[in-house]
């Protein structure tokens, strides 16, 4: 029996199968087999309560959003993820064939792009941007694909996988 919830954002026709204790929920802007919720993740709140989701994966989805939609979606992921949760992201790397091959790609990502959401390392622990609603512990993952960026992001929440840092 699945006791963990996993969200598959931009699932398309390749919903992650249930298993390893996870029930996977498919979310996409279009209705395909396996899509449980048809919605725009860049504009609509995720249909889950605060701190209720264990894992979120976004495989080649975020490059289709505009920057304001990316911020909205990442804030929603922060809201619904449990403190011990993970947001796994895979996107094409900017300036590569994988990025340019699709005419709908709007954001070019590098490994350092996701550092924007990283918990600040300054002594005052203040938000250097002034508007991020939730910070993350970001891990860049190795990949054999030189045209892709893979990251795991863990919410900066009390009781999480990493030491919580109060951000002002």
């Amino acid at each position: 029996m699945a006791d963990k919830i996993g969200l598959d954002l931009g699932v398309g026709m390749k919903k992650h199968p249930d298993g390893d204790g996870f029930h996977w929920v498919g979310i996409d802007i279009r209705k395909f087999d396996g899509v449980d919720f048809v919605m725009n993740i860049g504009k609509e709140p995720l249909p889950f309560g605060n701190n209720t989701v264990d894992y979120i994966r976004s495989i080649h989805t975020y490059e289709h959003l505009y920057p304001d939609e990316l911020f909205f979606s990442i804030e929603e992921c922060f809201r619904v993820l449990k403190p011990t949760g993970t947001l796994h992201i895979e996107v094409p790397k900017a300036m590569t064939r994988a990025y340019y091959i699709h005419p709908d790609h709007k954001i070019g990502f590098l490994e350092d792009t996701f550092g924007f959401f990283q918990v600040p390392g300054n002594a005052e622990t203040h938000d250097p941007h002034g508007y991020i609603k939730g910070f993350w512990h970001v891990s860049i993952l190795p990949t054999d694909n030189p045209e892709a960026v893979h990251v795991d992001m863990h919410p900066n929440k009390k009781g999480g996988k990493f030491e919580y840092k109060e951000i002002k």
Side-chain angles (χ1 to χ4, degrees), residues 1 5 7 15 23 25 27 31 36 38 40 52 64 79 84 109 111 118-119 128 134 156-157 160 164:
M1 172 122 191
I5 296 175
L7 303 185
K15 182 177 174 182
H23 169 67
V25 178
I27 298 175
K31 181 63 179 161
D36 300 295
V38 177
N40 184 336
T52 58
H64 297 280
R79 179 183 68 78
T84 56
F109 293 94
E111 290 84 354
Q118 178 71 32
V119 172
N156 179 44
K157 294 181 178 180
Y164 172 75

Side-chain angles (χ1 to χ4, degrees), residues 51-71:
N51 303 308
T52 58
V53 174
D54 297 280
Y55 195 91
I56 300 173
R57 53 184 251 139
S58 174
I59 310 299
H60 291 273
T61 302
Y62 280 142
E63 64 272 16
H64 297 280
L65 302 180
Y66 289 105
D68 59 321
E69 295 172 331
L70 173 71
F71 284 114

Side-chain angles (χ1 to χ4, degrees), residues 55 88-90 111 139-144 148-152:
Y55 195 91
H88 176 76
I89 300 170
E90 295 181 20
E111 290 84 354
S139 300
I140 298 167
L141 304 175
T143 175
D144 292 333
V149 175
H150 295 194
V151 297
D152 276 350

